[in-house]
Structures are given as structure tokens and as C-alpha cells.
Amino acid sequence: MPAGFMNAFDGLSHFSFCGWVYPTNLSGTTWGTFFTNYASFGNWNRATFHQLPNSYGGGADDILISISNVGAYGEAWTTSNVLELNKWVHLAVVYDGTAADNAGKIKIYVNGKPETLSFPSGTNFPATIAADANTSYIGRYHNPDYFK
């Protein structure tokens, strides 16, 4: 990954990220990661975009976005089984930290269509992403939870 991308999300109040995925495994045992700037477990200043494991949220055929910054933590996931085995899917997430509420701050699109999101109780997406030393990754987590 280019050195300039290492801290690409630091301090942002707006971003969008999109790409194509081709799931070959929806067993739901790991966090299939599209992008993250998460350094390690316990460092909660981050932005992540994942395929969910079965034990969390909507299940392995749904996706999650989480963003946190010192005291503010928000997460949301799709609810309509958006991933299909062995099929190309275009995913996009749009973050606007200046919006008034969670539904305004986070949008997820699948194949160009907006998705209905579930926001767990207590979710509060921050106005900005933390500026810290987290490394950004595409296609994997800080540990080897690669998208499959």
C-alpha cells in the first residue's frame, strides 16, 4: 500500500469508499475486511468496512461499517443479505460526519442501490475519524482476516 494511504482517513469528516467483491466463502467465521485503519484490538479509534461473521449483526451475507473516535462509536449493518456466493457485487459506503443523525452520516450502496441499515442501540457516529497512527489496509484486517 502506498505510504500516503497509511493515514488517509485521519481527521476526515467526509469520505466515500467503493469497490467490487466476489465472495467465495460465506461461512461467517471471520470478519471479511474490505478496508480498515484499525491498528489492534483495544485501539478503538478506527474506520472499518467488513463482511460480518454469522455471530454478529445481520450475518455473513451482510456488511458492516464502524467508525469511532474517542468516546463516539457508531456501527451499522445491512439487513437484506446483500452478498451472494460466487457473484460480483459493487459496494460503496459514504460517510458524512456533519449530518445530524446516524442515518444521515452513513450510507451503504450495493450495486448502486441504497441499503436499509440497522443501527444498534447506543450507536453514535462521530463527527470525524480519529487522527492517529493506525495503518490503513484494503482487503484485510490488522490480523490476517482477509476478504474471501
Side-chain angles (χ1 to χ4, degrees), residues 14-145:
H14 296 82
F15 77 82
S16 61
F17 184 88
C18 67
W20 290 91
V21 297
Y22 188 87
T24 59
N25 180 353
L26 293 177
S27 68
T29 58
T30 63
W31 298 85
T33 303
F34 308 121
F35 82 82
T36 188
N37 78 328
Y38 180 47
S40 62
F41 189 76
N43 179 348
W44 298 111
N45 293 328
R46 64 178 183 203
T48 60
F49 192 35
H50 298 283
Q51 171 191 359
L52 290 168
N54 280 331
S55 61
Y56 198 90
D61 50 4
D62 280 305
I63 53 177
L64 167 127
I65 179 75
S66 68
I67 298 174
S68 57
N69 186 355
V70 187
Y73 176 77
E75 65 181 23
W77 54 79
T78 59
T79 60
S80 60
N81 308 320
V82 300
L83 298 175
E84 294 184 57
L85 194 61
N86 300 316
K87 290 193 177 181
W88 284 103
V89 178
H90 186 265
L91 301 175
V93 62
V94 177
Y95 166 68
D96 178 359
T98 65
D101 61 10
N102 288 325
K105 289 180 180 179
I106 294 295
K107 305 287 185 195
I108 294 177
Y109 298 86
V110 176
N111 293 326
K113 296 178 183 170
E115 287 294 317
T116 299
L117 301 178
S118 177
F119 297 93
S121 177
T123 285
N124 180 24
F125 279 94
T128 61
I129 296 173
D132 54 30
N134 290 351
T135 299
S136 297
Y137 299 98
I138 295 176
R140 68 165 279 206
Y141 210 28
H142 63 91
N143 60 26
D145 276 354

